[in-house]
Amino acid sequence: MLKSMTGFGRAEITRGETTIVVEIKSLNGKQFEVNLKISPLLKPYEFDIRNQLQQTLVRGTLDASVNIRQNGANRPVVINTDLAKFYHQSITTLADELNLPKEDMLNVLMKLPEVVSPANEQISEEEWQEVEKALQQAISDLDAHRLDEGQVLAADLLTRIENIENYTIRVRELDPQRKDRVRTRLESLLAEYVGKENIDENRLEQELIFYLEKLDISEELVRLENHCRYFKEILKEAEPSKGKKLGFVLQEVGREINTTGSKANDANIQQWVVLMKDELEKAKEQVLNVL
């Protein structure tokens, strides 16, 4: 099971004259960050809302809004007359300076910030329970979206790792030929500069073995195969949050690929190393989106 950090969730609940709307959008991020917009009535519950978001969504950059709308006139309101007078004076002065009409001034004033506010600045326990219900529905909706996106990511990542494994097999097939070319080139150089009759065959054999051991890439290929195998095992784990772990494994994969290319020093093998690096970069980009 794999989850993406990208998703969207929405929930709407209407009880009587009250409508609660929750919307959550999630993008990738190294940690948990949330830009939360809530109705003034929910300010006392802001910590609870943030905590519920983090408990389930764990990681990512979130834009979340929780709004309460009153559909009727059952909730009393307070009109801030002093603020309304201040707005009226400022608007009238501006209208005179710009020679603008002053009709429908009251309608304009009633829509300005904090002129009209609920008489009761708190919601009841029953209303808060409805808000929690809507919040959990939106979180579940987003989480399901993340899971769907995660299945696509998992399939793509598996393809990238299997391609690297296939390229590793090709490198193994080419390695004996590389060693033969190294041996032939060294023997040819010695014969040219030292003379074949002056070469101590026993000493030459020892030096060749020592030199070829320094260029040996078998250990790097074994580690590379092990890292790829471990990566696929992590993909199958039930733990939903494993993006960082997969990223660490890809770092090790990259280290072995780079060392293989450097030590091999062979044009034929280098072609497959380049293809490995291309698959690795694509995998790294995808892992950035994994929860």
Side-chain angles (χ1 to χ4, degrees), residues 7-10 21-27 32-39 42-43 46 49-54 57 60-67 134-135 138-139 142:
F8 178 79
R10 186 181 189 278
V21 179
V22 181
E23 292 184 345
I24 312 170
K25 181 176 70 175
S26 175
L27 298 173
F32 178 81
E33 297 181 13
V34 57
N35 177 27
L36 181 61
K37 297 179 181 178
I38 59 177
S39 297
L42 292 172
K43 282 295 182 181
E46 181 175 352
I49 294 171
R50 289 180 179 273
N51 189 44
Q52 291 184 41
L53 289 169
Q54 186 169 15
L57 302 179
T61 301
L62 272 61
D63 283 319
S65 64
V66 185
N67 292 314
L135 181 62
I139 290 174
L142 186 148

Side-chain angles (χ1 to χ4, degrees), residues 161 165 224-237 245-246 249:
I161 292 300
E165 289 179 318
L224 179 55
E225 290 169 339
N226 289 337
H227 293 326
C228 289
R229 190 179 304 113
Y230 182 44
F231 188 94
K232 292 193 292 185
E233 289 174 358
I234 295 174
L235 286 179
K236 297 178 182 178
E237 291 177 357
K245 187 188 295 185
L246 291 173
V249 177

